[in-house]
Amino acid sequence: MNNEEIKKQELLEDEESSIDFKKIFSDLLKYKKLYYKVLPIAFVLAAIYALSLPNYYSCTVKLAPELGSSAKAGGSLASLASSFGVNLGSAQQGADAINPTLYPDLMNSVDFKTDLFKVKVRREDDNQFFTYYDYLAKEQKLSWWSAGMKSFFDLFSSKEEESSKIDPFRLSKKQTDIVKAIDKNVVCDVDKKTFVITISVTDQDPLICATMADTVKTRLQKFITDYRTSKARVDYDYNLKLSREAKAKYEQARDRYAAYADSHRNVTSQNAQTKEADLQSEMQLQERIYQQVVAQLQQAEMKVQEETPAFTTLQSATVPVRKEGPKRAQMCLIFLFLAALGTTAWILYKEDDLKSLLGMD
C-alpha cells in the first residue's frame, strides 16, 4: 500500500516537472510587443463601445399594502410556513382574489402598460412635456450601431400609419414595441414573506425615471383600491339610490298631509278627520322607511371605508443624482482582460506550450 502511494506521488511530481514554466514565461516575453499593440487597441475599442452607450438612471419605490381580514389572520402562519418553503398563499385568497404576490402579473398586463401611454412627462433639462408613449418612441438615445441598424431596417419596412387610438386587444407594431420597452423599464417585485412591493423604473432621464416610478405606484394603489372596494361601492350606490327614492316619497307624503291639513283646518266632519289620519300615517310610514334606508346607507359608506386598503410607503420616489449605468470603467477592464487572455492563449498555442499546460504530452 505504501509502495502504491509512493508511485502515485512520483507520477504527480513527473507531471508537475513536465510543465516548463521558465519556457512559458520566456515565450510570453518574446511577444511583449504584441501586448503593447493589442491592449491599447482593445482599450480604444472598449472606450468607443462604452461611450456610445447612453446613460440610464434607476428609481425604486417600496410600499407595504394592508391585507384583507383573512390574510391578516393567516399572515403569521404563512410567514412561518414560507420560511420552511411551504406556500400558503391560496389560503389567504378568501378575502382577496388578487393578493400581493399577483401584483407583478397585474403590472405585466397589456391593459396596465397601455394605461401608461398618456402619462405626461418632461426631461430634467427641458420644460417641454411629452406623453410617455411619444417619449419612448421618439426621444430615446441609441448607440451608434443600434441607430444604424434601425435606419437600415427602416428602409425595408413599410411605413405604418400612426393611430391615436389605443386598443389593448389589437395593438399596432409600434405600440407593441413600446409595451415591450415599458416591460423592460418598469419592474415590480413582491417579497413573499413580508408582501413588501418594490417598483423599479429605469430610464435615460432622472426626472422621468422618478416621475414614472411615482405614477406606477399611484396607479397600482388605485387599481387595488378600486378592486377591494368594488362590491362595497356597488352596495353603497344601490343604497344611495334607495335613499333618494325614499326621501322623495317621504317629502311627497309630507306635502300631501300638510296641504290637506291646512285646507281642512276648520272642518270637523268624520270623513275629513279619517282622511287626515290616513295621510298622517302614510307620512309617518314613509319617514320610518327613509330613516331605515339612511341607516343602511351609512353602514354601506362605512363598509367602503373599511374595505379601502391603506398603503405604507417605505421608500418614496426620488430623482436619482447618480446614474445607474453603464459602468464604463468595468467594461474597459473586462475588454482588457479578455484581450490579454486571448493574446496569451494565442502565444501559448503558437509556441506549443498549451499541450504541456493541459497535460496532453
Side-chain angles (χ1 to χ4, degrees):
M1 194 69 183
N2 291 333
N3 292 333
E4 291 180 359
E5 290 179 356
I6 293 172
K7 288 181 180 180
K8 288 181 180 180
Q9 187 174 358
E10 290 177 352
L11 289 173
L12 290 173
E13 291 176 355
D14 291 340
E15 288 180 0
E16 290 177 358
S17 61
S18 64
I19 301 175
D20 192 349
F21 290 102
K22 290 183 179 179
K23 180 179 182 303
I24 291 174
F25 184 70
S26 63
D27 290 341
L28 294 177
L29 285 179
K30 282 195 305 183
Y31 290 90
K32 62 181 179 179
K33 290 184 178 180
L34 181 61
Y35 286 100
Y36 297 155
K37 295 178 181 178
V38 171
L39 294 182
I41 293 174
F43 178 78
V44 171
L45 293 176
I48 293 174
Y49 173 79
L51 292 173
S52 298
L53 297 174
N55 294 335
Y56 61 89
Y57 300 82
S58 180
C59 180
T60 300
V61 175
K62 291 185 178 181
L63 65 156
E66 181 187 39
L67 302 178
S69 55
S70 64
K72 289 179 181 177
S76 58
L77 179 60
S79 178
L80 179 62
S82 61
S83 65
F84 293 97
V86 180
N87 184 11
L88 297 182
S90 59
Q92 298 181 7
Q93 295 180 9
D96 296 314
I98 299 181
N99 64 4
T101 58
L102 297 179
Y103 294 164
D105 296 325
L106 164 66
M107 289 184 57
N108 286 332
S109 67
V110 176
D111 291 321
F112 190 90
K113 291 173 186 173
T114 54
D115 192 42
L116 300 175
F117 281 2
K118 295 182 180 180
V119 176
K120 294 291 185 179
V121 296
R122 72 173 182 87
R123 288 178 293 216
E124 190 173 34
D125 56 353
D126 191 1
N127 291 326
Q128 183 179 1
F129 281 88
F130 306 90
T131 62
Y132 193 48
Y133 177 89
D134 290 336
Y135 170 73
L136 293 178
K138 303 173 183 177
E139 302 297 326
Q140 291 291 286
K141 297 177 182 178
L142 300 174
S143 57
W144 58 268
W145 61 86
S146 297
M149 292 178 61
K150 183 178 181 298
S151 300
F152 176 76
F153 286 114
D154 285 345
L155 295 174
F156 301 97
S157 61
S158 58
K159 291 186 177 180
E160 183 181 3
E161 292 186 3
E162 193 69 22
S163 176
S164 58
K165 183 180 179 182
I166 301 173
D167 181 9
F169 181 73
R170 187 184 294 274
L171 295 175
S172 65
K173 183 180 181 303
K174 188 68 176 177
Q175 291 170 348
T176 302
D177 292 338
I178 299 301
V179 167
K180 292 180 180 178
I182 294 176
D183 184 49
K184 181 181 177 182
N185 293 346
V186 180
V187 178
C188 177
D189 184 54
V190 177
D191 191 312
K192 293 183 179 179
K193 293 183 179 180
T194 62
F195 294 120
V196 172
I197 306 169
T198 303
I199 299 172
S200 301
V201 177
T202 304
D203 199 272
Q204 295 180 2
D205 185 88
L207 180 58
I208 294 178
C209 180
T211 301
M212 291 309 301
D214 188 66
T215 300
V216 171
K217 180 198 75 170
T218 302
R219 300 209 171 190
L220 181 62
Q221 288 177 335
K222 182 179 182 301
F223 178 88
I224 297 169
T225 300
D226 290 344
Y227 169 77
R228 289 274 298 271
T229 61
S230 59
K231 185 179 184 303
R233 282 186 289 107
V234 169
D235 294 340
Y236 173 79
D237 293 339
Y238 178 70
N239 282 281
L240 181 62
K241 178 184 175 183
L242 291 180
S243 69
R244 289 172 178 172
E245 293 176 353
K247 182 180 179 182
K249 291 179 179 179
Y250 164 67
E251 290 175 347
Q252 291 172 4
R254 183 191 62 190
D255 292 342
R256 286 195 300 268
Y257 169 73
Y260 188 85
D262 288 342
S263 61
H264 295 77
R265 181 174 300 176
N266 298 321
V267 178
T268 59
S269 66
Q270 188 65 32
N271 197 15
Q273 291 179 359
T274 302
K275 179 67 174 178
E276 183 178 349
D278 290 343
L279 290 174
Q280 185 179 15
S281 298
E282 182 182 359
M283 179 190 68
Q284 292 173 348
L285 175 62
Q286 294 298 332
E287 183 180 11
R288 286 195 297 271
I289 294 175
Y290 175 57
Q291 290 174 348
Q292 291 175 0
V293 173
V294 168
Q296 292 176 359
L297 178 63
Q298 291 175 346
Q299 291 178 358
E301 187 176 5
M302 292 173 60
K303 186 66 175 177
V304 172
Q305 182 62 31
E306 180 184 347
E307 291 295 330
T308 301
F311 292 89
T312 302
T313 301
L314 304 178
Q315 182 174 332
S316 302
T318 305
V319 178
V321 178
R322 297 181 179 178
K323 65 182 180 67
E324 185 72 15
K327 296 178 172 28
R328 296 186 173 91
Q330 184 177 348
M331 290 181 181
C332 290
L333 290 175
I334 292 174
F335 266 77
L336 290 174
F337 173 75
L338 293 177
L341 185 64
T343 303
T344 301
W346 181 83
I347 294 171
L348 295 178
Y349 172 77
K350 187 174 181 181
E351 295 297 323
D352 205 22
D353 293 328
L354 281 180
K355 293 182 178 180
S356 60
L357 282 174
L358 299 175
M360 297 174 61
D361 288 342

